[in-house]
Amino acid sequence: MSVPILKKESLIPGTTSKMVLYAPEIARHAKPGHFIILRVNEHGERIPLTIADANAETGEITIVYLVLGKTTALLEALKEGDSILDVCGPLGKATKIEKKGCVVCVGGGTGIAAMHHIAKGHHEAGNKVVAVIGARNKDLLLFEKELGLFADELLISTDDGSRGHKGFVTDLLKEKLDTDKSIFEVVAVGPVPMMAAVSNLTRPYGVHTTVSLNPIMVDGIGMCGACRVTVGGKTCFACVDGPEFDGHEVDFAELKLRLSAFREQERKGMEAYRSAHNG
Ligand code: NAD
Ligand code: FES
């Protein structure tokens, strides 16, 4: 289904952008935790992107992407008014949201955008939401304003100390776990080392921890096996069994290895795109 781009905004110049797409069928069914798979052109690869926000009334969905390889560079070349060739979704299982008390939602880097939709879902269900966001520096922090609109508490860290706490999100999470015994769940979305560190941190506290995994995906409907992950010793497919799993059960080392499997091809694809683009 070809989908028009209603709005495009650069969040971090040259690296991260936000697009609002007109996709009423997807917006009507999209729940926190869901993702889409898009294809920019007929011969293009299919890439998964978590839905950062959705509005069933206006038919809009929001996506946020990091310009990392050829496909995201092609996406970045599109403008407001252009269309994306195929957008398939909503895919995956929605976040399990129940009114239970206090949930801490941790987002790292671009993962903050995906975490935003989950945090909003918890807020709308009546849970107290503590949002913890972190980035390398203040210019890379996303969705601070949007989270500030509903989060009961918003804690910020930067690796270089240019905004908020100097250090990682896990420092802030540890302080929160030490002082607040009402936390029933921690949700983490971001780089794999961050989700692994959050899960290791919460384990001794016995706090249920949900992570949103981002393995390589192809079909997104459980047929190809590309998104295979091991959870609790069992093989799961992130596109249909996830993308959210119990962080205490995920084999993060395997996920990291599988994510790097095509790094060389990705680098070559990006190089070829850059030289064709600049030449
Ligand atoms: P990054 O490497 O700059 O890290 C962002 C923050 O995460 C850091 O500032 C720090 O607070 C925390 N962090 C990183 N490593 C940590 C560690 N070892 N221990 C504790 N905290 C740590 O992030 P980035 O370069 O913006 O990358 C974002 C990542 O998020 C990408 O890898 C992307 O694939 C992933 N992502 C995942 C989803 C999803 O749905 N799972 C969605 C969007 C992005
Ligand atoms: Fe093919 Fe999940 S992407 S099985």
Side-chain angles (χ1 to χ4, degrees):
M1 183 180 53
S2 164
V3 163
I5 301 163
L6 299 177
K7 280 181 230 150
K8 182 179 169 193
E9 187 189 333
S10 170
L11 298 180
I12 304 167
T15 64
T16 308
S17 293
K18 173 171 119 176
M19 277 183 182
V20 178
L21 310 176
Y22 183 64
E25 278 306 309
I26 299 177
R28 194 170 307 140
H29 301 287
K31 294 204 169 63
H34 279 144
F35 66 95
I36 55 158
I37 286 194
L38 63 79
R39 201 164 59 125
V40 179
N41 61 40
E42 232 174 282
H43 306 288
E45 64 172 340
R46 294 157 58 83
I47 57 159
L49 288 171
T50 312
I51 297 171
D53 209 352
N55 186 329
E57 279 167 30
T58 60
E60 295 172 352
I61 60 165
T62 302
I63 54 168
V64 172
Y65 56 91
L66 187 65
V67 183
L68 207 57
K70 184 181 164 191
T71 303
T72 40
L74 286 167
L75 187 62
E76 184 62 0
L78 297 176
K79 303 179 294 297
E80 282 180 12
D82 289 343
S83 287
I84 298 174
L85 181 68
D86 292 329
V87 180
C88 177
L91 298 168
K93 284 190 177 154
T95 310
K96 276 191 204 128
I97 295 180
E98 289 168 65
K99 187 175 175 197
K100 278 196 177 172
C102 177
V103 57
V104 181
C105 297
V106 185
T110 24
I112 300 170
M115 177 278 266
H116 165 264
H117 202 199
I118 299 170
K120 200 170 161 188
H122 276 290
H123 165 73
E124 284 168 1
N127 286 318
K128 176 183 170 189
V129 173
V130 178
V132 181
I133 59 172
R136 272 166 275 151
N137 64 55
K138 65 175 171 38
D139 300 325
L140 303 179
L141 282 166
L142 302 175
F143 278 62
E144 184 182 338
K145 196 178 80 201
E146 289 84 344
L147 285 161
L149 293 175
F150 63 81
D152 297 276
E153 227 178 301
L154 176 59
L155 306 173
I156 300 171
S157 72
T158 47
D159 302 6
D160 68 355
S162 51
R163 178 128 172 71
H165 167 76
K166 183 175 192 288
F168 283 173
V169 281
T170 37
D171 304 337
L172 296 171
L173 177 62
K174 182 168 186 329
E175 271 177 35
K176 201 70 206 154
L177 288 164
D178 283 337
T179 53
D180 189 342
K181 299 299 164 203
S182 72
I183 299 164
F184 77 89
E185 185 179 3
V186 170
V187 180
V189 191
V192 173
M194 183 206 92
M195 294 191 286
V198 166
S199 303
N200 285 335
L201 175 64
T202 55
R203 191 175 281 114
Y205 292 87
V207 175
H208 183 70
T209 299
T210 301
V211 292
S212 174
L213 303 187
N214 57 335
I216 293 166
M217 291 192 185
V218 180
D219 63 348
I221 51 168
M223 304 292 282
C224 72
C227 66
R228 176 167 65 78
V229 289
T230 305
V231 183
K234 293 197 188 113
T235 294
C236 297
F237 297 105
C239 66
V240 285
D241 301 319
E244 292 175 11
F245 293 99
D246 180 343
H248 297 152
E249 299 284 336
V250 171
D251 183 339
F252 286 105
E254 181 196 57
L255 174 63
K256 203 170 154 213
L257 203 66
R258 286 179 64 81
L259 275 169
S260 62
F262 297 102
R263 201 138 287 161
E264 190 51 20
Q265 286 90 335
E266 284 162 7
R267 191 188 58 76
K268 283 188 180 151
M270 189 59 173
E271 251 175 41
Y273 172 79
R274 280 214 181 103
S275 58
H277 211 63
N278 300 329

